[in-house]
Amino acid sequence: MLTIKQITENTDAVIRGLEKKHFKDAAATIAKVIEVNDKRRNTQNELDKNLAEVNSLSRTIGQLMKEGKKEEAETARIRVAELKEGNKALDTAMTDAATELQNLLYTIPNVPYDEVPEGVGAEDNVVEKIGGMETELPKDALPHWELAKKYDLIDFDLGVKITGAGFPVYKGKGAQLQRALINFFLDEARKSGYMEIMPPTVVNAASGYGTGQLPDKEGQMYHCEVDDLYLIPTAEVPVTNIYRDVILDEKQLPIMNCAYTQCFRREAGSYGKDVRGLNRLHEFSKVELVRIDKPEHSRQSHQEMLNHVEGLLQKLELPYRILRLCGGDMSFTAALCFDFEVYSEAQKRWLEVSSVSNFDTYQANRLKCRYRSGEKKTELCHTLNGSALALPRIVAALLENNQTPEGIKIPKALVPYCGFEMID
C-alpha cells in the first residue's frame, strides 16, 4: 500500500497517478486519508502529552508527601486520575483512527510510473516488441480443444464430472507435456540464478493482505471459510510472504526465488468463446519468479526478468509479443507491468501467458519487508514478480502452432524433457 509519506509529500502526483489508473474519486479518497491521518497524529500527540504529565505528576506526588504537602499531593492525584480517564478515550480514538486509516489505504491502488501509458483497457496497451517464429498451419488446422480430443491429451468432460468446468484432466502425453514444461521452466530459472521454493498452496489472510490479493474486491479467490484460508491464485503470494516482517541485510539483495504451484482462480464473470478449452481455467499450473530488491536496482531486475521470459518463448519457438500495459489495464498493485502474449494461429488471437510487474514499495509496505543499508537505516524493499510461465495457454499455443498432418511436433528444447518428438 502507499505510505503516508508518499501521500502527504507528493499529494498532487499521487492523485494524478491514481487518475491514470482510473481510480474513482482519487482526490476525495486522498483528502480523506490526510484528514484521518491528521486526526490520528493529533490524538497521538495529545495522548503523549497527557502521558508525560501523568509521569511528571506521579513523581511529584511522592515528593509532596515527603514534604508534608498532603493537600497538594491529593490535588495531583486527582489530576492524574482525570488524565488517565481521558487517556482511555484518547487511546480508543487513536486506535479507531489508525484502523480507519489502514482500511482506507487498503482500498487505494499503487501509483503507476510515469512511463505507464494513458488508457482505459487492453485496447490501449502499447506493443513494445513482436518476435518469434512465423507459423504456417494445414488448411484444416484445429483449435487445441479439438487436438486434445483427437490425440487423447486432455479430457475436459472428465474434469467437469470430477469437479466442474475449468478443471481439466491431463492424460498420457498431455500430462507428460505439462510435466516437461514445468521442469523446463524450473531448470531455466535455476540456470538464471533463481532458488527454487516449494510453498503451500493455501495461505492465511495476512498473506493475502501482504501481497494485495485481499481485500478481494472482485471475489476471485477461493476461500476455505471454516479455517479462514485461501487457495493461492499464484505462487507470488506465499513466496513473497516469506519476507513479511523481515529486515534483510543489503548484501542479501537481490533475492531471486522461483516456484512451481497449482493456482486457483474463480474467474467470476468469465463466459463465452474466449474461455473455451485451456484459455481460462479455475485451476492451472504455473512457474513464478519473485524478486526482492533495492529501489535503485529494481528496474534492472525488472528488465532481467523480461529478458528471461522472452528467452523462454524463443526456446519454445512460439510467436510472441510484449505489451506495456496502460494505466487502466494494470493490476491493483503494480507500478509498471509488461504482458507477454503468444499467438494462436488456429484461434487467430493473442493469448496472455505472463505478466512481469514491478510493485515498487507497495507490497513491501504491506509486508513490512525492509532491508538495512550501509548506514544501518532500514528502508522498504521493492518487490517484483512474473510468470515464467503459466502453462495452459502455452500448451494451447504449442498444440495449435505445431500441428502437422503427421501429428504435433514438439519444440527441440522440450524433447529431452518429454522423451518424445511428436504427438501422434
Side-chain angles (χ1 to χ4, degrees):
M1 63 191 169
L2 301 180
T3 66
I4 290 298
K5 184 177 180 180
Q6 279 178 285
I7 292 171
T8 56
E9 293 186 1
N10 302 284
T11 304
D12 291 342
V14 167
I15 292 171
R16 285 195 302 273
L18 295 177
E19 288 173 343
K20 182 186 278 190
K21 270 200 171 180
H22 298 271
F23 178 63
K24 188 178 179 181
D25 299 325
T29 303
I30 293 301
K32 183 66 175 176
V33 166
I34 293 172
E35 176 191 331
V36 174
N37 184 58
D38 286 344
K39 179 182 177 183
R40 179 197 60 81
R41 187 178 57 188
N42 292 338
T43 305
Q44 177 72 67
N45 290 339
E46 189 175 353
L47 182 60
D48 290 345
K49 180 182 175 182
N50 286 1
L51 288 171
E53 187 177 351
V54 167
N55 291 335
S56 177
L57 287 171
S58 297
R59 289 192 297 269
T60 302
I61 289 169
Q63 185 62 35
L64 290 172
M65 290 296 291
K66 286 180 182 180
E67 296 173 0
K69 299 177 181 178
K70 294 182 180 181
E71 188 174 336
E72 292 181 37
E74 184 60 27
T75 300
R77 282 197 188 96
I78 293 171
R79 176 59 179 162
V80 166
E82 290 173 348
L83 287 168
K84 286 184 176 180
E85 192 62 32
N87 286 351
K88 291 179 183 179
L90 286 171
D91 190 59
T92 299
M94 189 182 68
T95 300
D96 290 346
T99 300
E100 183 181 3
L101 179 63
Q102 185 85 342
N103 290 337
L104 268 174
L105 291 172
Y106 278 144
T107 69
I108 301 172
N110 200 358
V111 174
Y113 287 160
D114 291 341
E115 60 264 41
V116 171
E118 299 281 354
V120 177
E123 64 280 0
D124 299 315
N125 294 334
V126 177
V127 177
E128 294 278 317
K129 182 177 180 180
I130 296 178
M133 301 177 65
E134 293 184 4
T135 305
E136 290 187 16
L137 298 185
K139 291 181 180 180
D140 57 349
L142 299 173
H144 68 272
W145 53 86
E146 295 291 346
L147 291 167
K149 185 175 181 179
K150 178 180 179 179
Y151 294 103
D152 197 22
L153 304 174
I154 308 167
D155 196 322
F156 295 99
D157 292 334
L158 189 56
V160 172
K161 173 186 174 181
I162 296 170
T163 309
F167 296 88
V169 175
Y170 298 85
K171 302 165 64 178
K173 286 188 175 180
Q176 288 176 257
L177 179 58
Q178 281 273 114
R179 183 158 44 83
L181 283 164
I182 292 165
N183 289 333
F184 170 66
F185 293 151
L186 287 173
D187 281 355
E188 291 296 306
R190 178 180 52 78
K191 291 175 187 176
S192 294
Y194 290 88
M195 182 179 74
E196 184 177 351
I197 303 290
M198 188 174 287
T201 52
V202 292
V203 294
N204 55 31
S207 294
Y209 277 100
T211 44
Q213 278 69 30
L214 292 176
D216 186 10
K217 293 169 290 300
E218 298 176 353
Q220 296 293 358
M221 295 179 74
Y222 284 99
H223 185 202
C224 309
E225 294 182 3
V226 174
D227 299 306
D228 194 23
L229 297 173
Y230 295 83
L231 275 64
I232 62 169
T234 165
E236 163 201 347
V237 182
V239 175
T240 312
N241 269 278
I242 291 171
Y243 307 99
R244 172 158 46 93
D245 298 320
V246 171
I247 299 177
L248 300 161
D249 190 278
E250 186 175 11
K251 295 177 182 178
Q252 294 175 264
L253 303 176
I255 287 173
M256 300 166 59
N257 293 155
C258 67
Y260 151 70
T261 62
Q262 290 296 97
C263 304
F264 304 86
R265 299 181 186 178
R266 293 186 61 242
E267 296 292 0
S270 298
Y271 306 100
K273 62 181 179 64
D274 290 344
V275 303
R276 289 198 66 181
L278 298 172
N279 288 345
R280 196 173 295 276
L281 301 177
H282 295 306
E283 180 182 359
F284 59 94
S285 303
K286 183 153 71 83
V287 173
E288 190 81 359
L289 306 179
V290 171
R291 288 203 187 198
I292 313 293
D293 209 344
K294 297 185 293 185
E296 61 267 29
H297 190 259
S298 73
R299 286 180 180 269
Q300 181 178 331
S301 273
H302 198 189
Q303 186 59 55
E304 289 171 2
M305 294 171 77
L306 294 170
N307 294 343
H308 180 86
V309 175
E310 184 176 8
L312 295 177
L313 294 174
Q314 290 171 342
K315 289 176 181 178
L316 291 176
E317 305 170 31
L318 288 171
Y320 66 90
R321 68 180 185 181
I322 306 172
L323 304 177
R324 183 190 296 264
L325 297 197
C326 69
D329 200 36
M330 286 173 61
S331 73
F332 188 84
T333 50
L336 179 64
C337 181
F338 293 86
D339 273 4
F340 285 80
E341 297 180 333
V342 294
Y343 191 69
S344 162
E345 189 65 47
Q347 297 181 69
K348 301 297 180 184
R349 60 188 291 251
W350 291 95
L351 305 173
E352 180 197 329
V353 294
S354 176
S355 290
V356 183
S357 302
N358 188 334
F359 302 100
D360 202 89
T361 61
Y362 189 86
Q363 286 184 333
N365 190 35
R366 286 177 171 233
L367 294 160
K368 299 297 178 278
C369 172
R370 294 163 289 173
Y371 74 99
R372 199 179 300 281
S373 65
E375 295 79 25
K376 302 301 180 183
K377 295 178 181 178
T378 59
E379 299 181 44
L380 288 172
C381 297
H382 279 199
T383 63
L384 307 93
N385 71 46
S387 308
L389 287 159
L391 269 69
R393 294 171 186 171
I394 288 290
V395 170
L398 285 174
L399 295 180
E400 293 178 1
N401 293 358
N402 292 302
Q403 59 183 298
T404 70
E406 292 75 35
I408 300 169
K409 188 178 179 182
I410 299 299
K412 290 181 181 179
L414 279 184
V415 171
Y417 292 90
C418 289
F420 50 85
E421 298 181 2
M422 185 80 72
I423 295 174
D424 51 25

